[in-house]
Amino acid sequence: MVLALPGPVTAAPQPLMEGWEYRWGDSPLAPDGVPEWTRAEAPGDWQVIGFPSNPPNREGREQVWFRVPLPEGSWQEPVLYIYSVDIIVQVYLDGKQIYQYGTFDEQGRGRFEGWPWHAIPLPEDFANKTAYFRVFSDYTDIGLWGEVAVIGQSELVLFLLKESLNALIVGGVALLFALLALVFAPLQGDHKTLASLALFALAAAIMLVAESQASLLILYQPLLWDYLAAGSYYMLPVALALMLAQWLSDHRPRLITLIWQCHLVYLVVALGLALAGLVALSSTFPVFDALLLVSLLGMTLVLARRYGDLSDEQQLLVIAFGLFAGLLIADMAVAHGYLPWSRVPVSWGILAFLLAVVVISLKHYARTQRALKQLTVSLERQVAERTARAEALARREQARVRMLTFENEKNRVLGDIITGLQDCLSLAQAFGLLVQNLPDLCSPLRGALYRRRSGNLFDRLTLWGVEGERSSLPPRLDERTGVPLPSSLPSAAGLTDGESFDRAVTGNLCFWMNVESVDEGVVTEAVVLLERDGLFASEESGYGMARLFTALDQAIQRIGITLSSIALREELQKFSYEDALTGLKNRRYFDQLFEHQCAVAVRSQMPLSLLVVDIDHFKDFNDTHGHEAGDCALRAIAGVLHRQFRESDIVCRYGGEEFVVILPGAHTADARERAETLCRVAAKTPLLFEDKTLAPVTVSVGAASWPESCTSPDQLLTLADQALYRAKHDGRNRVWIHGGQAA
């Protein structure tokens, strides 16, 4: 190659193709530290080789020396240019080391540090001198690789740029394709295909730039560029197989899917191990090349077998793939020495593949534009046909908008009602809230709310929209004479534009509020009656009013569900705090309320008394008459307790045959009087069991009062229990006041 440049004429690059010799092993060092093999008089078994790469009979050896006489010539700033070396090298001239790439240890070994090109500066008097090359490689190849020539420094830069020009141009085009594909991928239906194309183009662009010799002119970091080249090279079959899998998805290319998955795993594992320092990056290439060769052959077999079933566009892609795969295989053959060294134009294969994709994409785009044009004409025709119908529906849509606004307001009211009901603790409180808010929900309809009071009767709780004497809604409903059945409402979709709502619904509208009870099951707890006369004379109101009444029906059902939850909470609370046998409050209720009453007494400085009541000889009574009779006795004493004390007093069954009575505001004298009355009444209360009258049972009572009996009201239970023990010890059927006397 001769480059014409302004200025002095320089000699053309001189390739070193002759005079090469090699010898296996590593040179011993002379006392002055210079390798002995670099001296011309040093004996040795040097053998002729055509090119300093992969000498015969390697047999696992990792050190080799090469030498060659340097030619004569006139170069400005002469350098010895080497395309690449496997893997590290030292260069000697006149027994002096003039260049080193990599680090040699004491055993003459070293680790992989990249595959850069080498420009070894030569002294002015290098002509006809012998250059010695010390090489170490644990890679499959060993020695110098590609081109070796003497060239001027300035000519070398131009030479490298010229040799890299194709790769840089194609890499730039590939990068542009990648960016365009990434931009259009979210906008297209086949975004997966465009994403795969972007991945392929990006990997190809990085590989071409990283493997070009001009990359080291940009940044001299050989190992970094080799990692970029390896990653993008390993990614190529992943992207390629992904594209083919999506293009041939109708033919179920399972093998191609397996191929891209395997290559993706290899990429992650190989680069991960190399970055971790567990393996050399160079050792990952031969394994990958073998895997890639198998993958390319597998994909080729799949495509060849289905070639006849493919469309013209897919066949064009297959041809472009074949060209690219062939160039890739040729480049691998050169890299591993199966073919003589030459620059395989892999970049042209990448460019051809990308151009094929672009041609197909443009064809699809043109086809899409034609389809859009036809669709536009069709849409214009349909728009013209539908405009008339849209104008006819405009009035109804306006009415629907008004109705939606109305419904939104009703939904807000319903939400407020449901929120209020959820805060209610009882059905009585809930119906009080409904009396206040249900008229707003049913407005503008006139109506009334009825609630079941007893048996079969429903009393009217509220009436709205009309005066009582003018209303057709009765003050009471009786199931025996007939309660109106729930109205069957027409659906909004079932009414035509010309149908009037009052032809679809006759009579008053009736809604039942059903409440689910644990004991009684589903019970109609309330009834809502609404008047409809004279409200819907216009046929235009049919559709909207049907929606309104459907919404009312659903709203009242929701209210019923909420009432059911309130009723369930009431029943659960009742079960939680009420003794099932006697109907009195249970010990759990007593424990919670007694603590509260103690705090109230201290805060208000009001007296507080406590009675502990026990049925005398209750075990003997059970043994004599049976447990059912004992239950009868418990209920009888519970009834006496319930009748003898005020509503402000709290009577609880404490457990077994024991009862407790909390007397807020009662002094010791009051407690004594009520306890004595209890004993007298209990002793006179007959027991009726299975049509037999049993002898009455008696009770013993222990009482304690604060502040007379103790310093703190929470001591009352212990003191009253001690007083009860004294009453039973002194003969039962009596009252004992703590700190006082028995009665």
Side-chain angles (χ1 to χ4, degrees), residues 264-504:
L264 183 60
V265 171
Y266 185 84
L267 182 151
V268 174
V269 172
L271 293 186
L273 293 176
L275 289 171
L278 300 178
V279 299
L281 178 65
S282 59
S283 63
T284 65
F285 280 90
V287 179
F288 174 79
D289 288 341
L291 178 62
L292 178 59
L293 181 61
V294 173
S295 300
L296 291 175
L297 293 177
M299 286 189 284
T300 302
L301 289 175
V302 171
L303 295 174
R305 218 172 72 190
R306 300 177 180 177
Y307 186 80
D309 299 329
L310 303 179
S311 64
D312 294 341
E313 296 172 353
Q314 291 173 330
Q315 289 178 352
L316 177 59
L317 288 174
V318 170
I319 294 173
F321 164 77
L323 175 61
F324 171 64
L327 292 174
L328 205 57
I329 292 173
D331 187 60
M332 285 191 293
V334 171
H336 293 285
Y338 294 105
L339 291 178
W341 188 89
S342 63
R343 298 179 185 269
V344 179
V346 177
S347 60
W348 293 111
I350 293 175
L351 182 61
F353 189 81
L354 292 175
L355 288 176
V357 174
V358 170
V359 169
I360 293 173
S361 300
L362 292 175
K363 186 176 180 181
H364 283 181
Y365 177 78
R367 186 184 306 159
T368 302
Q369 292 302 311
R370 290 195 298 269
L372 286 175
K373 184 176 181 180
Q374 296 174 358
L375 181 61
T376 301
V377 174
S378 175
L379 287 176
E380 289 176 350
R381 183 174 63 253
Q382 293 179 16
V383 168
E385 293 173 352
R386 293 178 182 177
T387 299
R389 281 184 290 173
E391 293 174 353
L393 293 174
R395 289 188 299 273
R396 179 174 175 180
E397 289 302 316
Q398 292 174 358
R400 181 179 298 179
V401 170
R402 290 194 297 270
M403 183 53 61
L404 287 175
T405 304
F406 187 74
E407 286 180 352
N408 289 336
E409 175 62 21
K410 294 302 178 185
N411 287 333
R412 185 192 63 78
V413 174
L414 175 62
D416 293 341
I417 292 175
I418 297 298
T419 301
L421 290 176
Q422 290 173 344
D423 294 332
C424 293
L425 300 178
S426 65
L427 286 178
Q429 185 181 2
F431 274 97
L433 185 142
L434 288 177
V435 166
Q436 297 177 1
N437 294 280
L438 198 61
D440 292 337
L441 181 66
C442 298
S443 175
L445 303 178
R446 301 182 294 269
L449 171 64
Y450 299 82
R451 183 185 179 188
R452 184 186 295 274
R453 285 301 184 188
S454 61
N456 300 316
L457 298 179
F458 290 83
D459 290 342
R460 190 172 67 192
L461 300 182
T462 183
L463 178 71
W464 63 86
V466 293
E467 297 180 3
E469 61 273 10
R470 296 176 50 197
S471 174
S472 63
L473 305 176
R476 175 173 290 181
L477 299 177
D478 192 340
E479 284 185 331
R480 293 169 295 185
T481 59
V483 173
L485 296 175
S487 300
S488 178
L489 302 178
S491 66
L495 292 175
T496 61
D497 291 338
E499 185 177 0
S500 174
F501 189 81
D502 34 2
R503 288 202 301 270

Side-chain angles (χ1 to χ4, degrees), residues 34 77 98 141 162 181 201 337 344 371 385 448 475 567 575 639 676 681 737:
V34 177
E77 298 181 1
I98 63 172
D141 293 339
K162 180 179 179 181
V344 179
E385 293 173 352
F575 294 152
E676 291 174 348
V681 174
I737 305 298

Side-chain angles (χ1 to χ4, degrees), residues 41 82 117 174 248 317 337 390 462 515 523 537 561 564 584 648 667:
E41 68 277 7
I82 304 173
W117 48 265
L248 307 178
L317 288 174
T462 183
V515 176
V523 177
I561 293 172
S564 296
L584 299 177
S648 59
H667 292 281

Side-chain angles (χ1 to χ4, degrees), residues 240-261:
L240 185 62
L242 279 173
M243 282 191 293
L244 294 178
Q246 289 155 12
W247 287 328
L248 307 178
S249 58
D250 296 338
H251 303 280
R252 300 183 181 276
R254 297 177 183 174
L255 177 60
I256 294 180
T257 301
L258 180 62
I259 287 173
W260 75 256
Q261 292 173 345

